[in-house]
Amino acid sequence: MISTALYELAHRLRSQGQANQALIIDRSDFESLQQELSNMHCLRALRALRQEHPSYGGMALVIQEGLAI
């Protein structure tokens, strides 16, 4: 699940003192994340994603089109 993997990454970065970093996510993964959170009724996390400056797991998200890893 993308929500779990992204949250673990955010937690790892925060615990290493890198909370000011932004998590970069592909648009399709962002949409999948929203769907997962909606299916799990995680309304607080969904609200954070839908802000002008989205965040997840306490970290800023940067959404990019066609991100290749």
Side-chain angles (χ1 to χ4, degrees):
M1 292 179 72
I2 192 167
S3 58
T4 303
L6 195 57
Y7 190 82
E8 288 174 354
L9 176 60
H11 176 73
R12 192 173 327 121
L13 289 171
R14 281 192 326 267
S15 67
Q16 294 173 353
Q18 298 179 29
N20 60 340
Q21 298 289 329
L23 300 172
I24 301 171
I25 187 170
D26 183 71
R27 170 72 57 193
S28 64
D29 290 335
F30 180 74
E31 291 169 2
S32 297
L33 175 62
Q34 288 186 92
Q35 187 61 48
E36 281 181 23
L37 295 173
S38 178
N39 291 343
M40 295 186 295
H41 305 286
C42 298
L43 302 179
R44 188 174 182 188
L46 278 170
R47 276 194 304 273
L49 288 180
R50 294 178 177 155
Q51 298 296 314
E52 181 180 347
H53 302 287
S55 65
Y56 186 70
M59 297 188 69
L61 282 181
V62 174
I63 304 159
Q64 294 187 347
E65 298 290 336
L67 183 65
I69 297 175

